[in-house]
Amino acid sequence: MSNLTTFRVWRGDAEGGRFTTYEVEVNEGEVVLDIVHRLQATQAPDLAVRWNCKAGKCGSCSAEINGRPRLMCMTRMSTLPPGESVTLTPMRTFPVIRDLVTDVSFNYAKAREVPAFVPPPGLAPGEYRMAQEDVARSQEFRKCIECFLCQDVCHVVRDHEENKPVYAGPRFLMRVAELDMHPLDAADDTGLDRSRSAQDDHGLGYCNITRCCTDVCPEHITITENALIPLKERAADRKYDPLVWLGSKISRR
Ligand code: SF4
Ligand code: F3S
Ligand code: FES
């Protein structure tokens, strides 16, 4: 069974743009990306869209559907309000390249700012041993497909361009948390305090745990509860630990 649905699609580039309205056929079982492909095939051959897997695994097709950050390939038309028009816009937090395609290089720059895992001294990779609980924690964070929807929705940068230089965003604070809680990471031995660095270098204090990042994550990673809040607690523990305080006073002499 098919019907005609009104799509309002933002068309434009870095200079500006506007909405263009299309009436397009929608069939049972289709997702929003199917409709975008139909538009390209029938009415808007030059409509720019980024996609790859159509299976929710490459993280390419991120956009905003009726103002909500989502993967177009994982949003079934049947989940949208019936009989209403559908609005498609590019992710708001990143600069537009063209139509629904944004420049997400901000995220790659932030990824490079997080120091890598420091291997434990005296152990070769095959000799690593970890409790299952620690493995499971890392595995949850490793489900990330780098769609950057959490980065897009976080109000700290979504509404405040000026915060971008000092704020890594939930995806990369989650990476810092993963490494800080990793039992084999030897960053401490190199003088790197990851939870303190989260505060000082990656803007952890800007996050006021609104939880929007967790709500939009297509991999259902519990970013706020499992990464951001524990990282805040660890940073506070370090800051107010009297031994850490005494050590920092002595080391500054
Ligand atoms: Fe996307 Fe979730 Fe990874 Fe954020 S944490 S980039 S929302 S998969
Ligand atoms: Fe932003 Fe997520 Fe914190 S949306 S404010 S990083 S809980
Ligand atoms: Fe790969 Fe949507 S096309 S996640």
Side-chain angles (χ1 to χ4, degrees):
M1 207 174 70
S2 70
N3 62 61
L4 279 183
T5 298
T6 304
F7 266 71
R8 294 173 65 243
V9 184
W10 193 90
R11 306 288 316 266
D13 56 25
E15 304 300 312
R18 61 185 174 79
F19 283 99
T20 302
T21 301
Y22 304 94
E23 295 291 318
V24 57
E25 177 190 325
V26 174
N27 299 301
E28 198 171 340
E30 286 184 330
V31 294
V32 170
L33 189 59
D34 288 317
I35 311 308
V36 170
H37 287 162
R38 182 164 299 121
L39 279 175
Q40 288 178 319
T42 57
Q43 304 179 50
D46 60 342
L47 172 61
V49 61
R50 186 186 282 132
W51 70 283
N52 196 343
C53 69
K54 205 169 178 277
K57 286 296 159 209
C58 72
S60 305
C61 68
S62 302
E64 301 196 3
I65 301 169
N66 294 339
R68 184 181 163 86
R70 303 182 79 146
L71 294 179
M72 287 186 280
C73 73
M74 296 303 283
T75 305
R76 284 202 181 274
M77 288 300 300
S78 58
T79 62
L80 302 177
E84 293 184 15
S85 64
V86 177
T87 301
L88 278 187
T89 44
M91 285 193 283
R92 182 169 116 189
T93 300
F94 310 119
V96 170
I97 296 175
R98 194 155 72 86
D99 301 337
L100 300 174
V101 178
T102 50
D103 175 357
V104 293
S105 53
F106 163 78
N107 301 288
Y108 303 127
K110 293 296 169 185
R112 282 192 292 273
E113 288 174 10
V114 179
F117 173 75
V118 179
L123 282 182
E127 296 163 356
Y128 293 178
R129 296 289 178 269
M130 283 168 64
Q132 184 54 39
E133 185 184 10
D134 293 319
V135 174
R137 186 189 315 109
S138 271
Q139 278 177 337
E140 182 193 14
F141 301 150
R142 290 299 180 112
K143 286 193 301 180
C144 175
I145 58 170
E146 306 229 304
C147 64
F148 305 129
L149 291 174
C150 59
Q151 301 282 101
D152 176 45
V153 82
C154 180
H155 69 97
V156 177
V157 282
R158 185 175 177 86
D159 299 326
H160 299 280
E161 185 71 24
E162 69 278 12
N163 288 339
K164 282 185 175 174
V166 292
Y167 185 65
R171 194 271 169 261
F172 299 103
L173 288 167
M174 178 175 85
R175 174 68 176 150
V176 177
E178 181 193 351
L179 291 170
D180 193 42
M181 291 188 272
H182 197 299
L184 295 176
D185 178 63
D188 269 357
D189 298 351
T190 68
L192 171 64
D193 177 342
R194 291 194 190 271
S195 63
R196 186 165 184 165
S197 165
Q199 288 284 130
D200 296 347
D201 307 325
H202 306 294
L204 178 62
Y206 283 81
C207 163
N208 56 349
I209 50 179
T210 56
R211 224 183 160 278
C212 310
C213 51
T214 301
D215 287 345
V216 300
C217 178
E219 286 293 318
H220 308 292
I221 303 171
T222 322
I223 308 167
T224 315
E225 285 80 358
N226 288 353
L228 304 179
I229 293 174
L231 190 58
K232 282 175 176 283
E233 288 170 348
R234 291 167 74 86
D237 284 352
R238 297 282 299 197
K239 187 168 178 185
Y240 298 113
D241 182 329
L243 288 177
V244 172
W245 178 83
L246 186 63
S248 72
K249 290 283 170 202
I250 292 169
S251 69
R252 274 189 217 141
R253 290 192 173 171

